[in-house]
PDB file of all heavy atoms in Angstrom:
ATOM      1  N   MET A   1     -97.952-127.146 -22.896  1.00 95.00           N
ATOM      2  CA  MET A   1     -97.814-128.538 -22.542  1.00 95.00           C
ATOM      3  C   MET A   1     -96.330-128.906 -22.485  1.00 95.00           C
ATOM      4  O   MET A   1     -95.542-128.460 -23.310  1.00 95.00           O
ATOM      5  CB  MET A   1     -98.524-129.407 -23.565  1.00 95.00           C
ATOM      6  CG  MET A   1     -98.630-130.838 -23.144  1.00 95.00           C
ATOM      7  SD  MET A   1     -99.886-131.693 -24.089  1.00 95.00           S
ATOM      8  CE  MET A   1     -98.869-132.863 -24.924  1.00 95.00           C
ATOM      9  N   PHE A   2     -95.988-129.735 -21.528  1.00 98.00           N
ATOM     10  CA  PHE A   2     -94.603-130.164 -21.343  1.00 98.00           C
ATOM     11  C   PHE A   2     -94.479-131.662 -21.572  1.00 98.00           C
ATOM     12  O   PHE A   2     -95.435-132.405 -21.361  1.00 98.00           O
ATOM     13  CB  PHE A   2     -94.132-129.850 -19.912  1.00 98.00           C
ATOM     14  CG  PHE A   2     -94.195-128.396 -19.575  1.00 98.00           C
ATOM     15  CD1 PHE A   2     -95.226-127.892 -18.800  1.00 98.00           C
ATOM     16  CD2 PHE A   2     -93.227-127.514 -20.032  1.00 98.00           C
ATOM     17  CE1 PHE A   2     -95.299-126.548 -18.489  1.00 98.00           C
ATOM     18  CE2 PHE A   2     -93.285-126.178 -19.726  1.00 98.00           C
ATOM     19  CZ  PHE A   2     -94.320-125.682 -18.957  1.00 98.00           C
ATOM     20  N   PHE A  13     -64.937-149.880 -22.677  1.00 96.00           N
ATOM     21  CA  PHE A  13     -63.811-149.301 -23.413  1.00 96.00           C
ATOM     22  C   PHE A  13     -63.283-150.257 -24.467  1.00 96.00           C
ATOM     23  O   PHE A  13     -63.410-151.475 -24.342  1.00 96.00           O
ATOM     24  CB  PHE A  13     -62.670-148.933 -22.448  1.00 96.00           C
ATOM     25  CG  PHE A  13     -62.922-147.693 -21.647  1.00 96.00           C
ATOM     26  CD1 PHE A  13     -62.905-147.747 -20.256  1.00 96.00           C
ATOM     27  CD2 PHE A  13     -63.168-146.474 -22.259  1.00 96.00           C
ATOM     28  CE1 PHE A  13     -63.122-146.605 -19.497  1.00 96.00           C
ATOM     29  CE2 PHE A  13     -63.398-145.327 -21.511  1.00 96.00           C
ATOM     30  CZ  PHE A  13     -63.374-145.399 -20.127  1.00 96.00           C
ATOM     31  N   GLU A  15     -59.677-150.493 -26.986  1.00 94.00           N
ATOM     32  CA  GLU A  15     -58.373-149.948 -27.386  1.00 94.00           C
ATOM     33  C   GLU A  15     -58.405-149.536 -28.852  1.00 94.00           C
ATOM     34  O   GLU A  15     -59.091-150.144 -29.669  1.00 94.00           O
ATOM     35  CB  GLU A  15     -57.270-150.999 -27.182  1.00 94.00           C
ATOM     36  CG  GLU A  15     -57.030-151.391 -25.742  1.00 94.00           C
ATOM     37  CD  GLU A  15     -56.319-150.326 -24.926  1.00 94.00           C
ATOM     38  OE1 GLU A  15     -55.674-149.433 -25.514  1.00 94.00           O
ATOM     39  OE2 GLU A  15     -56.425-150.393 -23.691  1.00 94.00           O
ATOM     40  N   GLY A  23     -70.132-135.349 -28.348  1.00 97.00           N
ATOM     41  CA  GLY A  23     -69.654-134.818 -29.617  1.00 97.00           C
ATOM     42  C   GLY A  23     -68.274-134.203 -29.529  1.00 97.00           C
ATOM     43  O   GLY A  23     -67.804-133.602 -30.488  1.00 97.00           O
ATOM     44  N   LEU A  25     -64.185-134.767 -28.933  1.00 97.00           N
ATOM     45  CA  LEU A  25     -63.087-135.730 -28.935  1.00 97.00           C
ATOM     46  C   LEU A  25     -62.291-135.525 -27.650  1.00 97.00           C
ATOM     47  O   LEU A  25     -61.760-134.443 -27.408  1.00 97.00           O
ATOM     48  CB  LEU A  25     -62.200-135.537 -30.166  1.00 97.00           C
ATOM     49  CG  LEU A  25     -60.992-136.464 -30.274  1.00 97.00           C
ATOM     50  CD1 LEU A  25     -61.425-137.931 -30.355  1.00 97.00           C
ATOM     51  CD2 LEU A  25     -60.175-136.091 -31.514  1.00 97.00           C
ATOM     52  N   GLY A  34     -68.791-149.775 -29.807  1.00 88.00           N
ATOM     53  CA  GLY A  34     -70.110-149.446 -30.329  1.00 88.00           C
ATOM     54  C   GLY A  34     -70.084-149.551 -31.835  1.00 88.00           C
ATOM     55  O   GLY A  34     -69.024-149.433 -32.457  1.00 88.00           O
ATOM     56  N   LEU A  41     -73.038-140.252 -24.343  1.00 98.00           N
ATOM     57  CA  LEU A  41     -73.823-139.066 -23.991  1.00 98.00           C
ATOM     58  C   LEU A  41     -74.805-138.725 -25.112  1.00 98.00           C
ATOM     59  O   LEU A  41     -75.988-138.515 -24.860  1.00 98.00           O
ATOM     60  CB  LEU A  41     -72.904-137.880 -23.692  1.00 98.00           C
ATOM     61  CG  LEU A  41     -73.570-136.715 -22.945  1.00 98.00           C
ATOM     62  CD1 LEU A  41     -72.519-135.885 -22.231  1.00 98.00           C
ATOM     63  CD2 LEU A  41     -74.408-135.859 -23.822  1.00 98.00           C
ATOM     64  N   ALA A  48     -83.466-139.852 -24.915  1.00 98.00           N
ATOM     65  CA  ALA A  48     -84.311-138.999 -24.071  1.00 98.00           C
ATOM     66  C   ALA A  48     -85.242-138.144 -24.940  1.00 98.00           C
ATOM     67  O   ALA A  48     -86.436-138.022 -24.642  1.00 98.00           O
ATOM     68  CB  ALA A  48     -83.453-138.114 -23.176  1.00 98.00           C
ATOM     69  N   SER A  51     -87.862-140.408 -26.575  1.00 98.00           N
ATOM     70  CA  SER A  51     -88.815-140.834 -25.545  1.00 98.00           C
ATOM     71  C   SER A  51     -89.829-139.736 -25.239  1.00 98.00           C
ATOM     72  O   SER A  51     -91.025-140.008 -25.097  1.00 98.00           O
ATOM     73  CB  SER A  51     -88.033-141.210 -24.279  1.00 98.00           C
ATOM     74  OG  SER A  51     -88.898-141.419 -23.199  1.00 98.00           O
ATOM     75  N   VAL A  53     -91.107-137.509 -27.050  1.00 98.00           N
ATOM     76  CA  VAL A  53     -92.141-137.314 -28.076  1.00 98.00           C
ATOM     77  C   VAL A  53     -92.757-138.633 -28.549  1.00 98.00           C
ATOM     78  O   VAL A  53     -93.437-138.681 -29.568  1.00 98.00           O
ATOM     79  CB  VAL A  53     -91.619-136.477 -29.278  1.00 98.00           C
ATOM     80  CG1 VAL A  53     -91.360-135.044 -28.846  1.00 98.00           C
ATOM     81  CG2 VAL A  53     -90.404-137.098 -29.923  1.00 98.00           C
ATOM     82  N   GLU A  56     -89.832-144.239 -31.506  1.00 97.00           N
ATOM     83  CA  GLU A  56     -89.021-145.441 -31.283  1.00 97.00           C
ATOM     84  C   GLU A  56     -87.668-145.028 -30.717  1.00 97.00           C
ATOM     85  O   GLU A  56     -87.246-143.882 -30.876  1.00 97.00           O
ATOM     86  CB  GLU A  56     -88.817-146.182 -32.599  1.00 97.00           C
ATOM     87  CG  GLU A  56     -90.092-146.742 -33.181  1.00 97.00           C
ATOM     88  CD  GLU A  56     -89.848-147.450 -34.499  1.00 97.00           C
ATOM     89  OE1 GLU A  56     -89.267-146.830 -35.414  1.00 97.00           O
ATOM     90  OE2 GLU A  56     -90.228-148.626 -34.607  1.00 97.00           O
ATOM     91  N   ILE A  92     -86.731-127.684 -26.928  1.00 98.00           N
ATOM     92  CA  ILE A  92     -86.016-128.055 -25.709  1.00 98.00           C
ATOM     93  C   ILE A  92     -86.039-126.902 -24.716  1.00 98.00           C
ATOM     94  O   ILE A  92     -85.693-125.770 -25.060  1.00 98.00           O
ATOM     95  CB  ILE A  92     -84.558-128.434 -26.034  1.00 98.00           C
ATOM     96  CG1 ILE A  92     -84.522-129.693 -26.905  1.00 98.00           C
ATOM     97  CG2 ILE A  92     -83.739-128.630 -24.761  1.00 98.00           C
ATOM     98  CD1 ILE A  92     -83.156-130.017 -27.462  1.00 98.00           C
ATOM     99  N   GLU A 103     -62.957-142.906 -15.157  1.00 94.00           N
ATOM    100  CA  GLU A 103     -62.032-142.185 -16.024  1.00 94.00           C
ATOM    101  C   GLU A 103     -62.624-142.109 -17.417  1.00 94.00           C
ATOM    102  O   GLU A 103     -63.399-142.975 -17.793  1.00 94.00           O
ATOM    103  CB  GLU A 103     -60.653-142.849 -16.026  1.00 94.00           C
ATOM    104  CG  GLU A 103     -60.669-144.296 -16.439  1.00 94.00           C
ATOM    105  CD  GLU A 103     -59.283-144.908 -16.456  1.00 94.00           C
ATOM    106  OE1 GLU A 103     -58.282-144.221 -16.247  1.00 94.00           O
ATOM    107  OE2 GLU A 103     -59.216-146.106 -16.721  1.00 94.00           O
ATOM    108  N   PRO A 104     -62.335-141.076 -18.151  1.00 96.00           N
ATOM    109  CA  PRO A 104     -61.591-139.872 -17.771  1.00 96.00           C
ATOM    110  C   PRO A 104     -62.438-138.996 -16.845  1.00 96.00           C
ATOM    111  O   PRO A 104     -63.657-139.144 -16.774  1.00 96.00           O
ATOM    112  CB  PRO A 104     -61.365-139.170 -19.104  1.00 96.00           C
ATOM    113  CG  PRO A 104     -62.543-139.555 -19.931  1.00 96.00           C
ATOM    114  CD  PRO A 104     -62.869-140.972 -19.516  1.00 96.00           C
ATOM    115  N   ILE A 109     -63.385-131.354 -18.863  1.00 97.00           N
ATOM    116  CA  ILE A 109     -63.961-131.252 -20.217  1.00 97.00           C
ATOM    117  C   ILE A 109     -65.427-130.832 -20.201  1.00 97.00           C
ATOM    118  O   ILE A 109     -66.044-130.674 -21.252  1.00 97.00           O
ATOM    119  CB  ILE A 109     -63.807-132.586 -20.987  1.00 97.00           C
ATOM    120  CG1 ILE A 109     -64.436-133.751 -20.205  1.00 97.00           C
ATOM    121  CG2 ILE A 109     -62.343-132.856 -21.302  1.00 97.00           C
ATOM    122  CD1 ILE A 109     -64.457-135.076 -20.944  1.00 97.00           C
ATOM    123  N   ILE A 114     -70.598-128.947 -22.674  1.00 98.00           N
ATOM    124  CA  ILE A 114     -71.802-128.100 -22.590  1.00 98.00           C
ATOM    125  C   ILE A 114     -71.878-127.160 -23.783  1.00 98.00           C
ATOM    126  O   ILE A 114     -72.945-127.013 -24.401  1.00 98.00           O
ATOM    127  CB  ILE A 114     -71.825-127.315 -21.261  1.00 98.00           C
ATOM    128  CG1 ILE A 114     -72.095-128.265 -20.092  1.00 98.00           C
ATOM    129  CG2 ILE A 114     -72.868-126.192 -21.294  1.00 98.00           C
ATOM    130  CD1 ILE A 114     -71.946-127.646 -18.720  1.00 98.00           C
ATOM    131  N   LEU A 117     -72.810-129.258 -26.845  1.00 98.00           N
ATOM    132  CA  LEU A 117     -74.208-129.694 -26.785  1.00 98.00           C
ATOM    133  C   LEU A 117     -75.162-128.539 -27.053  1.00 98.00           C
ATOM    134  O   LEU A 117     -76.147-128.701 -27.788  1.00 98.00           O
ATOM    135  CB  LEU A 117     -74.526-130.321 -25.427  1.00 98.00           C
ATOM    136  CG  LEU A 117     -73.940-131.694 -25.146  1.00 98.00           C
ATOM    137  CD1 LEU A 117     -74.298-132.139 -23.734  1.00 98.00           C
ATOM    138  CD2 LEU A 117     -74.415-132.709 -26.165  1.00 98.00           C
ATOM    139  N   GLY A 122     -79.108-126.225 -30.359  1.00 98.00           N
ATOM    140  CA  GLY A 122     -79.681-124.919 -30.671  1.00 98.00           C
ATOM    141  C   GLY A 122     -80.279-124.236 -29.454  1.00 98.00           C
ATOM    142  O   GLY A 122     -81.303-123.561 -29.559  1.00 98.00           O
ATOM    143  N   VAL A 128     -78.273-126.416 -20.530  1.00 98.00           N
ATOM    144  CA  VAL A 128     -77.617-127.726 -20.583  1.00 98.00           C
ATOM    145  C   VAL A 128     -76.816-127.941 -19.307  1.00 98.00           C
ATOM    146  O   VAL A 128     -75.994-127.111 -18.931  1.00 98.00           O
ATOM    147  CB  VAL A 128     -76.678-127.817 -21.801  1.00 98.00           C
ATOM    148  CG1 VAL A 128     -75.958-129.152 -21.826  1.00 98.00           C
ATOM    149  CG2 VAL A 128     -77.434-127.589 -23.111  1.00 98.00           C
ATOM    150  N   GLY A 132     -70.325-135.185 -13.909  1.00 97.00           N
ATOM    151  CA  GLY A 132     -69.584-136.436 -13.885  1.00 97.00           C
ATOM    152  C   GLY A 132     -69.654-137.039 -12.497  1.00 97.00           C
ATOM    153  O   GLY A 132     -69.516-136.330 -11.499  1.00 97.00           O
ATOM    154  N   THR A 134     -68.345-140.635 -10.270  1.00 93.00           N
ATOM    155  CA  THR A 134     -67.575-141.873 -10.300  1.00 93.00           C
ATOM    156  C   THR A 134     -68.471-143.030  -9.881  1.00 93.00           C
ATOM    157  O   THR A 134     -69.506-142.837  -9.236  1.00 93.00           O
ATOM    158  CB  THR A 134     -66.339-141.796  -9.383  1.00 93.00           C
ATOM    159  OG1 THR A 134     -66.777-141.527  -8.055  1.00 93.00           O
ATOM    160  CG2 THR A 134     -65.372-140.716  -9.847  1.00 93.00           C
ATOM    161  N   GLU A 136     -67.797-145.434  -7.780  1.00 82.00           N
ATOM    162  CA  GLU A 136     -67.687-145.767  -6.353  1.00 82.00           C
ATOM    163  C   GLU A 136     -67.805-147.266  -6.117  1.00 82.00           C
ATOM    164  O   GLU A 136     -68.444-147.706  -5.160  1.00 82.00           O
ATOM    165  CB  GLU A 136     -68.764-145.032  -5.547  1.00 82.00           C
ATOM    166  CG  GLU A 136     -68.739-143.524  -5.663  1.00 82.00           C
ATOM    167  CD  GLU A 136     -67.636-142.874  -4.846  1.00 82.00           C
ATOM    168  OE1 GLU A 136     -67.189-143.465  -3.847  1.00 82.00           O
ATOM    169  OE2 GLU A 136     -67.224-141.767  -5.224  1.00 82.00           O
ATOM    170  N   PHE A 138     -69.501-149.388  -7.817  1.00 73.00           N
ATOM    171  CA  PHE A 138     -70.822-149.890  -8.199  1.00 73.00           C
ATOM    172  C   PHE A 138     -70.760-150.906  -9.337  1.00 73.00           C
ATOM    173  O   PHE A 138     -71.393-151.933  -9.302  1.00 73.00           O
ATOM    174  CB  PHE A 138     -71.732-148.718  -8.585  1.00 73.00           C
ATOM    175  CG  PHE A 138     -72.974-149.106  -9.325  1.00 73.00           C
ATOM    176  CD1 PHE A 138     -73.984-149.815  -8.685  1.00 73.00           C
ATOM    177  CD2 PHE A 138     -73.148-148.776 -10.652  1.00 73.00           C
ATOM    178  CE1 PHE A 138     -75.128-150.180  -9.365  1.00 73.00           C
ATOM    179  CE2 PHE A 138     -74.291-149.137 -11.330  1.00 73.00           C
ATOM    180  CZ  PHE A 138     -75.281-149.840 -10.684  1.00 73.00           C
ATOM    181  N   CYS A 139     -69.976-150.609 -10.359  1.00 72.00           N
ATOM    182  CA  CYS A 139     -69.914-151.455 -11.543  1.00 72.00           C
ATOM    183  C   CYS A 139     -68.453-151.747 -11.852  1.00 72.00           C
ATOM    184  O   CYS A 139     -67.649-150.834 -11.971  1.00 72.00           O
ATOM    185  CB  CYS A 139     -70.581-150.735 -12.715  1.00 72.00           C
ATOM    186  SG  CYS A 139     -70.491-151.633 -14.264  1.00 72.00           S
ATOM    187  N   ILE A 144     -68.050-146.484 -19.672  1.00 96.00           N
ATOM    188  CA  ILE A 144     -68.775-145.266 -19.301  1.00 96.00           C
ATOM    189  C   ILE A 144     -70.266-145.487 -19.520  1.00 96.00           C
ATOM    190  O   ILE A 144     -70.684-146.103 -20.505  1.00 96.00           O
ATOM    191  CB  ILE A 144     -68.302-144.061 -20.152  1.00 96.00           C
ATOM    192  CG1 ILE A 144     -66.805-143.813 -19.940  1.00 96.00           C
ATOM    193  CG2 ILE A 144     -69.105-142.804 -19.821  1.00 96.00           C
ATOM    194  CD1 ILE A 144     -66.233-142.713 -20.825  1.00 96.00           C
TER     195      ILE A 144
END
Side-chain angles (χ1 to χ4, degrees):
M1 190 162 116
F2 300 102
F13 284 122
E15 295 287 340
L25 179 61
L41 196 158
S51 171
V53 292
E56 295 179 306
I92 295 171
E103 57 179 355
I109 56 174
I114 289 172
L117 288 177
V128 178
T134 59
E136 302 283 335
F138 165 68
C139 177
I144 300 175

